[in-house]
Coordinates of all heavy atoms in Angstrom, one line a residue:
D296 N -67.3 7.8 37.9 CA -66.1 8.5 37.6 C -65.1 7.8 37.0 O -64.7 8.0 35.9 CB -65.6 9.2 39.0 CG -66.4 10.4 39.4 OD1 -66.9 11.1 38.5 OD2 -66.4 10.7 40.6
Q297 N -64.6 6.7 37.7 CA -63.5 5.9 37.1 C -63.7 4.5 37.4 O -64.0 4.1 38.5 CB -62.1 6.4 37.7 CG -60.9 5.9 36.9 CD -59.7 6.6 37.5 OE1 -59.6 7.1 38.5 NE2 -58.6 6.5 36.6
L298 N -63.5 3.6 36.4 CA -63.7 2.2 36.5 C -62.5 1.4 36.8 O -62.5 0.3 37.2 CB -64.4 1.6 35.3 CG -65.9 2.0 35.1 CD1 -66.4 1.7 33.7 CD2 -66.7 1.3 36.2
G299 N -61.3 2.0 36.5 CA -60.0 1.4 36.7 C -59.7 1.1 38.1 O -60.3 1.7 39.1
G300 N -58.7 0.3 38.4 CA -58.3 0.0 39.7 C -59.2 -1.0 40.3 O -60.2 -1.4 39.9
G301 N -58.7 -1.6 41.4 CA -59.5 -2.6 42.1 C -59.3 -4.0 41.5 O -58.2 -4.3 41.0
D302 N -60.2 -4.8 41.6 CA -60.1 -6.2 41.2 C -60.3 -6.5 39.7 O -61.3 -6.1 39.2 CB -61.2 -7.0 42.0 CG -61.0 -8.5 42.0 OD1 -60.0 -9.0 41.5 OD2 -61.9 -9.2 42.4
P303 N -59.2 -7.1 39.1 CA -59.3 -7.3 37.6 C -60.1 -8.6 37.3 O -59.7 -9.3 36.4 CB -57.9 -7.4 37.2 CG -57.2 -8.0 38.4 CD -57.9 -7.4 39.6
K304 N -61.3 -8.7 37.9 CA -62.1 -9.9 37.7 C -63.4 -9.5 37.1 O -64.0 -8.5 37.4 CB -62.3 -10.6 39.1 CG -61.1 -11.0 39.8 CD -60.6 -12.4 39.4 CE -59.4 -12.7 40.2 NZ -58.8 -13.9 39.8
T305 N -63.9 -10.4 36.3 CA -65.2 -10.2 35.6 C -66.3 -10.1 36.7 O -67.2 -9.2 36.6 CB -65.5 -11.3 34.7 OG1 -64.5 -11.4 33.7 CG2 -66.9 -11.1 33.9
R306 N -66.2 -10.9 37.7 CA -67.3 -10.9 38.8 C -67.3 -9.5 39.5 O -68.3 -9.2 40.2 CB -67.2 -12.1 39.7 CG -66.0 -12.0 40.6 CD -66.0 -13.1 41.7 NE -64.9 -13.0 42.5 CZ -63.9 -13.8 42.5 NH1 -63.9 -14.9 41.7 NH2 -62.8 -13.6 43.3
A307 N -66.2 -8.8 39.5 CA -66.3 -7.5 40.1 C -66.8 -6.4 39.1 O -67.4 -5.4 39.6 CB -64.9 -7.1 40.6
L308 N -66.5 -6.5 37.9 CA -66.8 -5.5 36.9 C -68.3 -5.6 36.5 O -69.0 -4.6 36.3 CB -66.0 -5.7 35.6 CG -66.3 -4.7 34.5 CD1 -66.0 -3.3 34.9 CD2 -65.5 -5.1 33.2
A309 N -68.8 -6.8 36.3 CA -70.2 -7.0 35.9 C -71.2 -6.3 36.7 O -72.2 -5.7 36.2 CB -70.5 -8.5 35.7
P310 N -71.2 -6.4 38.1 CA -72.2 -5.7 38.9 C -72.1 -4.2 38.8 O -73.1 -3.5 38.8 CB -71.9 -6.1 40.3 CG -71.1 -7.4 40.2 CD -70.4 -7.3 38.9
R311 N -70.9 -3.7 38.6 CA -70.7 -2.2 38.4 C -71.4 -1.8 37.1 O -72.0 -0.8 37.0 CB -69.3 -1.9 38.4 CG -68.6 -2.1 39.8 CD -67.2 -1.6 39.9 NE -67.2 -0.2 39.9 CZ -66.1 0.5 39.8 NH1 -64.9 -0.1 39.6 NH2 -66.2 1.9 39.8
L312 N -71.2 -2.6 36.0 CA -71.8 -2.2 34.8 C -73.4 -2.3 34.9 O -74.0 -1.5 34.3 CB -71.3 -3.1 33.6 CG -69.8 -3.0 33.3 CD1 -69.4 -4.1 32.3 CD2 -69.6 -1.6 32.6
K313 N -73.9 -3.3 35.5 CA -75.3 -3.5 35.7 C -75.9 -2.3 36.5 O -77.0 -1.9 36.2 CB -75.6 -4.8 36.3 CG -75.4 -5.9 35.4 CD -75.8 -7.3 36.0 CE -75.5 -8.3 34.9 NZ -75.8 -9.7 35.4
S314 N -75.1 -1.7 37.4 CA -75.6 -0.6 38.2 C -75.7 0.6 37.3 O -76.5 1.6 37.7 CB -74.7 -0.3 39.4 OG -73.4 0.2 39.0
F315 N -75.0 0.7 36.2 CA -75.1 1.8 35.2 C -76.2 1.5 34.2 O -76.3 2.3 33.3 CB -73.8 2.0 34.5 CG -72.7 2.5 35.4 CD1 -71.4 1.8 35.5 CD2 -72.8 3.6 36.3 CE1 -70.4 2.2 36.3 CE2 -71.8 3.9 37.1 CZ -70.6 3.3 37.2
G316 N -76.8 0.4 34.3 CA -77.9 0.1 33.3 C -77.4 -0.8 32.1 O -78.1 -0.9 31.1
A317 N -76.2 -1.2 32.1 CA -75.6 -2.0 31.0 C -75.7 -3.5 31.4 O -75.1 -3.9 32.3 CB -74.2 -1.6 30.7
A318 N -76.6 -4.2 30.6 CA -76.7 -5.6 30.9 C -77.1 -6.4 29.7 O -78.1 -6.1 29.0 CB -77.8 -5.9 32.0
A319 N -76.2 -7.3 29.3 CA -76.5 -8.3 28.2 C -77.0 -7.7 26.9 O -77.8 -8.2 26.3 CB -77.4 -9.4 28.7
G320 N -76.4 -6.6 26.5 CA -76.7 -6.0 25.2 C -75.4 -5.3 24.7 O -74.5 -5.1 25.5
P321 N -75.3 -5.0 23.5 CA -74.1 -4.4 22.9 C -73.8 -3.1 23.7 O -74.5 -2.1 23.6 CB -74.4 -4.1 21.5 CG -75.6 -5.0 21.1 CD -76.3 -5.2 22.4
T322 N -72.7 -3.1 24.4 CA -72.3 -2.0 25.3 C -70.9 -1.6 25.0 O -70.0 -2.5 24.9 CB -72.5 -2.4 26.8 OG1 -73.8 -2.8 27.0 CG2 -72.1 -1.2 27.7
L323 N -70.7 -0.3 24.9 CA -69.3 0.2 24.7 C -68.9 0.9 26.0 O -69.6 1.8 26.5 CB -69.4 1.3 23.5 CG -68.0 1.9 23.2 CD1 -67.0 0.9 22.7 CD2 -68.2 3.1 22.2
L324 N -67.8 0.5 26.5 CA -67.2 1.1 27.7 C -66.0 2.0 27.3 O -65.0 1.5 26.7 CB -66.7 0.0 28.6 CG -66.0 0.4 29.9 CD1 -66.9 1.3 30.7 CD2 -65.6 -0.8 30.7
V325 N -66.1 3.2 27.5 CA -65.1 4.2 27.1 C -64.4 4.7 28.3 O -64.9 5.2 29.2 CB -65.7 5.4 26.4 CG1 -64.7 6.4 25.9 CG2 -66.6 5.0 25.2
L326 N -63.0 4.4 28.3 CA -62.2 4.8 29.4 C -61.4 6.0 29.0 O -61.1 6.3 27.9 CB -61.2 3.6 29.7 CG -61.8 2.3 30.0 CD1 -60.7 1.3 30.2 CD2 -62.6 2.3 31.2
G327 N -61.0 6.8 30.1 CA -60.2 7.9 29.9 C -58.8 7.6 29.4 O -58.2 8.2 28.5
E328 N -58.2 6.5 30.0 CA -57.0 5.9 29.5 C -57.0 4.4 29.7 O -57.8 3.9 30.5 CB -55.8 6.6 30.3 CG -55.9 6.4 31.8 CD -54.8 7.2 32.5 OE1 -54.6 8.4 32.1 OE2 -54.3 6.7 33.4
R329 N -56.1 3.7 29.0 CA -56.1 2.3 29.1 C -55.9 1.8 30.5 O -55.1 2.3 31.3 CB -55.0 1.7 28.2 CG -55.3 1.8 26.8 CD -54.3 1.0 26.0 NE -54.6 -0.4 26.1 CZ -53.9 -1.4 25.6 NH1 -52.8 -1.1 25.0 NH2 -54.3 -2.6 25.8
S330 N -56.6 0.7 30.8 CA -56.5 0.0 32.1 C -56.4 -1.5 31.9 O -57.4 -2.1 31.4 CB -57.7 0.4 33.0 OG -57.7 -0.4 34.1
A331 N -55.3 -2.0 32.1 CA -55.1 -3.5 31.9 C -56.1 -4.3 32.8 O -56.6 -5.3 32.4 CB -53.7 -3.9 32.2
D332 N -56.4 -3.8 34.0 CA -57.3 -4.5 34.9 C -58.7 -4.5 34.3 O -59.4 -5.5 34.3 CB -57.3 -3.8 36.3 CG -56.1 -4.0 37.1 OD1 -55.3 -4.9 36.7 OD2 -55.9 -3.3 38.0
V333 N -59.2 -3.4 33.8 CA -60.6 -3.3 33.2 C -60.6 -4.2 32.0 O -61.6 -4.9 31.7 CB -61.0 -1.9 33.0 CG1 -62.3 -1.8 32.2 CG2 -61.1 -1.1 34.2
E334 N -59.6 -4.1 31.1 CA -59.6 -4.9 29.9 C -59.6 -6.3 30.2 O -60.2 -7.1 29.5 CB -58.4 -4.5 29.0 CG -58.5 -3.1 28.4 CD -57.3 -2.6 27.7 OE1 -56.3 -3.4 27.6 OE2 -57.3 -1.5 27.2
R335 N -58.8 -6.8 31.2 CA -58.8 -8.2 31.6 C -60.2 -8.6 32.1 O -60.6 -9.7 31.8 CB -57.7 -8.4 32.6 CG -57.4 -9.8 32.9 CD -56.2 -10.0 33.9 NE -55.0 -9.3 33.4 CZ -54.4 -8.4 34.1 NH1 -54.8 -8.1 35.3 NH2 -53.3 -7.8 33.6
A336 N -60.8 -7.8 32.9 CA -62.1 -8.1 33.5 C -63.1 -8.2 32.4 O -64.0 -9.0 32.5 CB -62.5 -7.2 34.6
A337 N -63.0 -7.3 31.4 CA -64.1 -7.2 30.4 C -63.9 -8.3 29.3 O -64.8 -8.5 28.5 CB -64.0 -5.9 29.7
A338 N -62.7 -9.0 29.3 CA -62.5 -10.0 28.2 C -63.5 -11.1 28.2 O -63.7 -11.7 27.2 CB -61.1 -10.5 28.4
N339 N -64.1 -11.4 29.4 CA -65.0 -12.5 29.4 C -66.5 -12.1 29.3 O -67.4 -12.9 29.6 CB -64.8 -13.3 30.8 CG -63.5 -14.0 30.8 OD1 -63.1 -14.5 29.8 ND2 -62.9 -14.0 32.0
V340 N -66.7 -10.8 29.0 CA -68.0 -10.3 28.8 C -68.3 -10.2 27.3 O -67.8 -9.2 26.7 CB -68.3 -9.0 29.6 CG1 -69.7 -8.5 29.4 CG2 -67.8 -9.1 31.0
P341 N -69.0 -11.1 26.7 CA -69.2 -11.1 25.2 C -69.9 -9.8 24.6 O -69.7 -9.4 23.5 CB -69.9 -12.3 24.9 CG -70.6 -12.7 26.2 CD -69.8 -12.1 27.3
W342 N -70.7 -9.2 25.4 CA -71.5 -8.1 24.9 C -70.9 -6.7 25.2 O -71.4 -5.7 24.9 CB -72.9 -8.1 25.5 CG -73.0 -8.3 27.0 CD1 -73.2 -9.6 27.6 CD2 -72.8 -7.4 28.0 NE1 -73.2 -9.4 28.9 CE2 -73.0 -8.1 29.3 CE3 -72.6 -6.1 28.1 CZ2 -72.9 -7.5 30.5 CZ3 -72.6 -5.4 29.4 CH2 -72.7 -6.2 30.5
L343 N -69.6 -6.7 25.7 CA -68.9 -5.5 26.1 C -67.7 -5.3 25.3 O -66.9 -6.2 25.1 CB -68.5 -5.6 27.6 CG -67.8 -4.4 28.2 CD1 -68.8 -3.2 28.2 CD2 -67.3 -4.7 29.6
E344 N -67.5 -4.1 24.7 CA -66.3 -3.7 24.0 C -65.7 -2.5 24.8 O -66.4 -1.5 25.1 CB -66.7 -3.2 22.6 CG -65.5 -2.8 21.8 CD -65.8 -2.4 20.4 OE1 -67.0 -2.6 19.9 OE2 -64.9 -1.8 19.7
V345 N -64.4 -2.6 25.0 CA -63.7 -1.5 25.8 C -62.8 -0.8 24.9 O -62.1 -1.4 24.0 CB -62.8 -2.2 26.9 CG1 -62.1 -1.1 27.7 CG2 -63.7 -3.0 27.8
T346 N -62.8 0.5 25.0 CA -61.9 1.4 24.2 C -61.6 2.6 25.0 O -62.1 2.8 26.1 CB -62.6 1.8 22.9 OG1 -61.7 2.5 22.0 CG2 -63.8 2.6 23.1
T347 N -60.7 3.4 24.5 CA -60.3 4.7 25.2 C -61.0 5.8 24.4 O -61.4 5.6 23.2 CB -58.8 4.9 25.2 OG1 -58.3 5.0 23.9 CG2 -58.1 3.8 26.0
A348 N -61.1 7.0 25.0 CA -61.7 8.1 24.3 C -61.0 8.5 23.0 O -61.7 8.8 22.0 CB -61.8 9.3 25.2
L349 N -59.7 8.4 23.0 CA -59.0 8.8 21.8 C -59.1 7.7 20.7 O -58.8 8.1 19.5 CB -57.5 9.0 22.2 CG -57.2 10.1 23.1 CD1 -55.7 10.2 23.5 CD2 -57.7 11.4 22.6
H350 N -59.5 6.5 21.0 CA -59.6 5.5 20.0 C -61.0 5.2 19.6 O -61.3 4.2 18.9 CB -58.9 4.2 20.4 CG -57.4 4.4 20.5 ND1 -56.8 4.6 21.8 CD2 -56.5 4.4 19.6 CE1 -55.5 4.7 21.5 NE2 -55.2 4.6 20.2
T351 N -62.0 5.9 20.1 CA -63.4 5.7 19.9 C -63.8 6.2 18.5 O -63.4 7.4 18.2 CB -64.3 6.3 20.9 OG1 -63.9 5.8 22.2 CG2 -65.7 6.0 20.7
S352 N -64.5 5.4 17.7 CA -64.9 5.9 16.4 C -66.4 6.2 16.5 O -67.2 5.7 17.3 CB -64.6 4.9 15.4 OG -65.4 3.7 15.5
V353 N -66.9 6.9 15.5 CA -68.3 7.2 15.4 C -69.1 5.9 15.1 O -70.1 5.7 15.7 CB -68.6 8.3 14.3 CG1 -70.0 8.5 14.0 CG2 -67.9 9.6 14.6
Y354 N -68.5 5.0 14.4 CA -69.1 3.7 14.1 C -69.4 3.0 15.4 O -70.4 2.4 15.6 CB -68.2 2.9 13.2 CG -68.7 1.5 13.0 CD1 -69.8 1.3 12.1 CD2 -68.1 0.4 13.6 CE1 -70.3 0.0 12.0 CE2 -68.6 -0.9 13.4 CZ -69.7 -1.1 12.6 OH -70.2 -2.3 12.4
Q355 N -68.4 3.0 16.3 CA -68.6 2.3 17.6 C -69.7 2.9 18.4 O -70.5 2.3 19.0 CB -67.3 2.4 18.4 CG -66.2 1.5 18.0 CD -64.9 1.7 18.7 OE1 -64.5 2.8 18.9 NE2 -64.3 0.6 19.1
L356 N -69.8 4.3 18.4 CA -70.9 4.9 19.1 C -72.3 4.6 18.5 O -73.2 4.5 19.3 CB -70.6 6.4 19.1 CG -69.4 7.0 19.8 CD1 -69.2 8.4 19.5 CD2 -69.4 6.7 21.2
V357 N -72.4 4.5 17.2 CA -73.6 4.2 16.6 C -74.0 2.7 16.8 O -75.2 2.4 16.9 CB -73.6 4.6 15.1 CG1 -74.8 4.2 14.4 CG2 -73.4 6.1 15.0
R358 N -73.0 1.8 16.7 CA -73.3 0.4 16.7 C -73.8 -0.2 18.0 O -74.6 -1.1 18.1 CB -72.0 -0.3 16.3 CG -72.2 -1.8 16.1 CD -70.9 -2.4 15.5 NE -69.8 -2.2 16.4 CZ -69.1 -3.2 16.9 NH1 -69.4 -4.4 16.6 NH2 -68.1 -3.0 17.7
H359 N -73.4 0.5 19.1 CA -73.7 -0.1 20.4 C -75.0 0.5 21.0 O -75.3 1.7 20.8 CB -72.6 0.1 21.4 CG -71.4 -0.6 21.1 ND1 -70.4 -0.2 20.2 CD2 -71.0 -1.9 21.5 CE1 -69.5 -1.1 20.1 NE2 -69.8 -2.1 20.9
D360 N -75.8 -0.3 21.7 CA -77.1 0.1 22.2 C -76.8 1.0 23.5 O -77.6 2.0 23.7 CB -77.9 -1.1 22.7 CG -78.4 -1.9 21.5 OD1 -78.4 -1.4 20.4 OD2 -78.8 -3.0 21.7
R361 N -75.8 0.7 24.2 CA -75.5 1.5 25.4 C -74.0 1.9 25.4 O -73.1 1.2 25.0 CB -75.7 0.6 26.7 CG -77.2 0.3 26.9 CD -77.3 -0.7 28.0 NE -78.5 -1.5 27.8 CZ -78.6 -2.5 27.0 NH1 -77.7 -3.0 26.3 NH2 -79.8 -3.2 26.9
I362 N -73.8 3.0 26.0 CA -72.4 3.5 26.1 C -72.2 4.0 27.6 O -73.0 4.7 28.1 CB -72.2 4.8 25.2 CG1 -72.4 4.3 23.8 CG2 -70.8 5.3 25.4 CD1 -72.5 5.5 22.8
V363 N -71.2 3.4 28.2 CA -70.8 3.7 29.6 C -69.4 4.3 29.5 O -68.5 3.8 28.9 CB -70.8 2.4 30.5 CG1 -70.3 2.8 31.9 CG2 -72.1 1.8 30.5
A364 N -69.3 5.5 30.0 CA -68.0 6.2 29.9 C -67.6 6.9 31.3 O -68.5 7.3 32.0 CB -68.1 7.4 28.9
E365 N -66.3 6.9 31.5 CA -65.8 7.6 32.6 C -65.9 9.1 32.4 O -66.0 9.5 31.2 CB -64.3 7.3 32.8 CG -64.0 5.8 33.2 CD -62.6 5.5 33.3 OE1 -61.7 6.2 32.8 OE2 -62.3 4.5 34.0
R366 N -66.0 9.9 33.4 CA -66.1 11.3 33.3 C -65.0 11.9 32.4 O -65.2 12.8 31.5 CB -66.1 12.0 34.6 CG -66.5 13.4 34.6 CD -66.6 14.0 36.0 NE -67.4 13.1 36.8 CZ -68.6 13.4 37.3 NH1 -69.1 14.6 37.1 NH2 -69.3 12.6 38.0
A367 N -63.7 11.5 32.7 CA -62.6 12.0 31.9 C -62.7 11.6 30.5 O -62.3 12.3 29.6 CB -61.3 11.5 32.5
A368 N -63.2 10.4 30.2 CA -63.4 10.0 28.8 C -64.4 10.8 28.1 O -64.3 11.1 26.9 CB -63.8 8.5 28.8
L369 N -65.5 11.2 28.8 CA -66.5 12.1 28.1 C -65.9 13.4 27.7 O -66.2 13.9 26.6 CB -67.7 12.3 29.0 CG -68.7 11.2 29.2 CD1 -69.7 11.6 30.2 CD2 -69.3 10.9 27.8
V370 N -65.1 14.0 28.5 CA -64.5 15.3 28.2 C -63.5 15.1 27.0 O -63.6 15.9 26.1 CB -63.7 15.8 29.4 CG1 -62.9 17.1 29.1 CG2 -64.7 16.2 30.6
A371 N -62.7 14.1 27.0 CA -61.8 13.8 25.9 C -62.5 13.5 24.7 O -62.1 14.0 23.5 CB -60.8 12.7 26.3
L372 N -63.6 12.8 24.7 CA -64.4 12.4 23.6 C -65.1 13.7 23.0 O -65.1 13.9 21.7 CB -65.5 11.4 23.9 CG -66.2 10.7 22.8 CD1 -65.2 9.9 22.0 CD2 -67.1 9.7 23.5
Q373 N -65.6 14.6 23.8 CA -66.2 15.8 23.3 C -65.1 16.6 22.6 O -65.4 17.2 21.5 CB -66.8 16.6 24.5 CG -68.0 16.0 25.0 CD -68.5 16.8 26.2 OE1 -67.8 17.5 26.9 NE2 -69.9 16.7 26.5
E374 N -63.9 16.7 23.1 CA -62.9 17.5 22.5 C -62.5 16.9 21.1 O -62.3 17.6 20.2 CB -61.7 17.6 23.4 CG -61.9 18.5 24.6 CD -60.8 18.4 25.6 OE1 -59.7 17.8 25.3 OE2 -60.9 19.1 26.6
A375 N -62.4 15.6 21.1 CA -62.0 14.9 19.9 C -63.0 15.0 18.8 O -62.7 15.2 17.6 CB -61.7 13.4 20.2
L376 N -64.3 14.9 19.1 CA -65.4 15.0 18.1 C -65.7 16.4 17.7 O -66.3 16.6 16.7 CB -66.6 14.3 18.7 CG -66.5 12.8 18.9 CD1 -67.8 12.2 19.5 CD2 -66.2 12.1 17.5
A377 N -65.2 17.4 18.5 CA -65.5 18.8 18.2 C -64.6 19.3 17.1 O -64.9 20.3 16.4 CB -65.3 19.7 19.4
R378 N -63.5 18.6 16.8 CA -62.5 19.0 15.8 C -63.1 18.8 14.4 O -63.8 18.1 14.0 CB -61.2 18.3 15.9 CG -60.5 18.7 17.2 CD -59.2 17.9 17.2 NE -58.9 17.8 18.6 CZ -58.1 16.9 19.1 NH1 -57.6 15.9 18.4 NH2 -57.8 16.8 20.4

């Protein structure tokens, strides 16, 4: 549902991403809204790119092998791409 909140550490974020099937490959993490904690935790993960639904481009979606998105981000992304 939501990845924000909690511990802004890479060691807390990495296991959550692996539970979603994202591990050591080009992965795009799409958030519903910016989260400084998630961005800080993701800064040390070289294979992870963090963006928001409103700033996601089609190029980013095609370029990454895996896409992990919050539920709110999926709704916003669908609305943005439907236009």
